[in-house]
Amino acid sequence: MRYQIINHQHIFQSESAPFLQCHASTICLLPDGNPAAAWFGGDHEKAANVAIWFSKKSGGEWSKPIQAADRENVPCWNPVLLAQQDRLVLFYKVGNEIPDWQTMVKESFDFGETWGEERELVPGDFGGRGPVKNKCILLQDGTLLAPASMERGRWYCFTDRSTDHGRTWEKSEPVPVNWDEMTGNGLIQPSLWQDDAGMVHMLMRSSEGAIYRSDSSDGGRSWTQAKRTALPNNNCGLDLVRMDDGRLVLVYNPVAGNWAARTPIAFAVSTDNGETFGEPQILDYVPCDRNMIEAEFSYPAIVTKGTDVFITYTWKRRTIAFWQIRFPRLDS
């Protein structure tokens, strides 16, 4: 596979970070074309001092991380950024335990320099509406679609739809699952794309050692039964993006197993709408046969512009790795 690495760096140096650990990054592109990222950071995942941190790139350098959201004595989780013209939206979870998460929203009108007051995404909701880890996508009809999941008992995926620019949300039907075939908790943290014909698709993290897929012909209101793919999964987050030319770029750990090792991390490309993917191209790797922080490269996020993709992921829980990769045009 041909591609060019335009940039590879860490967003901040762990020695100077105002937190001990970090995880679950998100990335978006600002109107000036520069990337912005957010993640959660604190003493450790679930610690009471875990907050949401933010940085953006300008002039080739990332800004010093600033705290974008916090809740006193309650951990924050899984930020998701959304850039909408002059508005930057930050979704994130708040709660001591995942089944009782609330999804909160903040907005910035100066591209992350300052942030407004937080509000509930869906008033009164506990469990986690809206994007759970990966970015929202804008459908061809202008609908905003958020990839969502619940972890209360069995894990299941769904989508949240908004037709008023994110002010109100409508929950889809859950993705159907054949539970007789499941040995673990189920499916969470989907990643979405829409093809040229208007079909919407998702790939999902699973407890079954493989990535699962579902499809929707009605804009994410309902979904086909989840099907196992040939792609391995280690019960860890993944993300993908559809480029303008139709190619899909998936970032994931090409490792099979339930709570298996989070190394290596790689990307793979599909030219047939996700039916097959090429060989994984390794981004980071430390040999390890189990999940250890010292060898953890996980929870990727990816966006695209033109023939470039922009990737972030957790690097040993110490910092956030960033890549900008350029692909040749299909007709070149």
Side-chain angles (χ1 to χ4, degrees), residues 176-218:
V177 175
N178 182 351
W179 290 106
D180 292 337
E181 296 180 354
M182 293 282 169
T183 61
N185 295 97
L187 311 173
I188 53 172
Q189 298 174 352
S191 185
L192 306 173
W193 79 96
Q194 185 177 34
D195 63 29
D196 289 335
M199 291 280 291
V200 184
H201 314 274
M202 68 165 68
L203 294 184
M204 295 163 278
R205 165 184 173 175
S206 87
S207 57
E208 308 306 303
I211 294 173
Y212 276 65
R213 174 172 172 158
S214 181
D215 310 289
S216 174
S217 60
D218 57 7

Side-chain angles (χ1 to χ4, degrees), residues 11-24:
I11 291 179
F12 56 89
Q13 298 303 310
S14 60
E15 296 81 6
S16 60
F19 39 78
L20 294 178
Q21 289 190 9
C22 60
H23 190 40

Side-chain angles (χ1 to χ4, degrees), residues 5-200:
I5 298 171
I6 303 301
N7 186 232
H8 172 213
Q9 61 188 149
H10 290 164
I11 291 179
F12 56 89
Q13 298 303 310
S14 60
E15 296 81 6
S16 60
F19 39 78
L20 294 178
Q21 289 190 9
C22 60
H23 190 40
S25 64
T26 176
I27 187 170
C28 72
L29 296 179
L30 300 175
D32 64 3
N34 279 312
W39 58 90
F40 70 71
D43 285 350
H44 56 82
E45 186 171 341
K46 294 183 68 172
N49 68 349
V50 173
I52 304 300
W53 296 82
F54 174 86
S55 177
K56 61 183 178 180
K57 195 176 183 185
S58 179
E61 298 297 328
W62 288 90
S63 63
K64 181 179 179 180
I66 64 168
Q67 193 176 102
D70 191 20
R71 181 76 67 83
E72 186 175 1
N73 294 322
V74 182
C76 298
W77 313 65
N78 293 18
V80 175
L81 288 170
L82 172 66
Q84 289 185 315
Q85 298 176 336
D86 64 342
R87 182 174 70 136
L88 184 59
V89 184
L90 172 67
F91 306 90
Y92 57 100
K93 310 297 187 187
V94 174
N96 288 307
E97 300 295 336
I98 292 173
D100 299 320
W101 272 345
Q102 287 182 286
T103 304
M104 310 304 294
V105 184
K106 281 191 171 188
E107 295 181 356
S108 174
F109 292 92
D110 53 15
F111 306 116
E113 297 292 330
T114 60
W115 294 90
E117 294 297 315
E118 73 174 16
R119 63 176 175 84
E120 294 179 74
L121 180 71
V122 178
D125 170 67
F126 287 87
R129 296 284 299 278
V132 66
K133 172 199 171 291
N134 294 321
K135 60 191 172 295
C136 303
I137 64 168
L138 191 65
L139 302 185
Q140 295 163 5
D141 65 0
T143 297
L144 193 61
L145 197 62
S149 60
M150 292 283 186
E151 297 180 51
R152 184 174 286 151
R154 284 176 167 173
W155 296 354
Y156 70 91
C157 294
F158 63 99
T159 47
D160 255 313
R161 291 169 43 88
S162 177
T163 57
D164 55 10
H165 309 289
R167 287 188 290 273
T168 61
W169 296 84
E170 176 188 2
K171 184 179 179 181
S172 78
E173 294 296 319
V175 174
V177 175
N178 182 351
W179 290 106
D180 292 337
E181 296 180 354
M182 293 282 169
T183 61
N185 295 97
L187 311 173
I188 53 172
Q189 298 174 352
S191 185
L192 306 173
W193 79 96
Q194 185 177 34
D195 63 29
D196 289 335
M199 291 280 291
V200 184

